[in-house]
Structure formats: C-alpha cells, structure tokens
Amino acid sequence: MAQAMSEKEIQKEFSTIKGALLWKCPFIGSLISAARLRILELPGAIAAVDKGRTIYINPEAWGRLSRGEKLGVIAHEVLHLAFRHAYRAEKA
C-alpha cells in the first residue's frame, strides 16, 4: 500500500499536471488555472470540488494513483467546476 503523499509533493505534482493539461488539452488546462488546491482527508474519495473553484485532494488515495490516473482525476474535477456541478447539486 502506498503512503500518503506530503502536501509539498502533491502541490508539485499538481503543478506538473496543470502544465501537461495546458499542453494536451488546452481547454481543460485553461480552466485549471483559476482553480485552487487544498489537501484534505476525504473518506471514500480521491478528489472533490466546491463552489469556490477549489479542488480537494485526498493525500492517501492520491499516492496510490499512476501519473496518468492523476491527470484524469484532475481533468475530471476541473470539468465539474466548468459545468458548475456544485451549484446544480445544491438546487436539486
């Protein structure tokens, strides 16, 4: 089992992923530039977002993912922000 990554390690990796997304998927990459990152224990989740354009990453779960999986998770969370899912869920 992989260990939880440190906040510094996750921030560095997040920065690298942002650059990769800007290169590979400019639309998603441009959206991520407005997002903030917070490291937080998220029982049962790898990552999440809120209405404040914050992406939360669970350090324990994050450490078990491959680089490609991490890129996919961040792209997925950025699309939640883009489609304003946190706002829409509140109205449901």
Side-chain angles (χ1 to χ4, degrees):
M1 182 199 286
Q3 291 184 354
M5 295 178 68
S6 73
E7 188 166 336
K8 187 176 181 177
E9 289 172 319
I10 294 172
Q11 287 174 343
K12 183 177 178 182
E13 213 168 35
F14 185 76
S15 180
T16 301
I17 288 170
K18 281 171 62 172
L21 284 171
L22 274 167
W23 177 255
K24 292 181 178 202
C25 308
F27 174 72
I28 294 173
S30 67
L31 295 173
I32 198 172
S33 63
R36 292 184 298 271
L37 174 66
R38 281 204 55 212
I39 312 306
L40 183 68
E41 298 279 332
L42 301 166
I46 297 168
V49 297
D50 67 12
K51 293 188 299 187
R53 294 184 317 220
T54 301
I55 297 174
Y56 298 90
I57 292 179
N58 179 346
E60 175 120 5
W62 189 253
R64 293 191 299 261
L65 301 177
S66 70
R67 183 168 168 18
E69 289 170 328
K70 291 173 183 177
L71 195 137
V73 166
I74 295 301
H76 174 93
E77 296 304 327
V78 168
L79 289 173
H80 279 305
L81 294 174
F83 294 123
R84 300 173 55 93
H85 287 163
Y87 288 95
R88 293 170 58 199
E90 185 178 81
K91 293 179 183 179

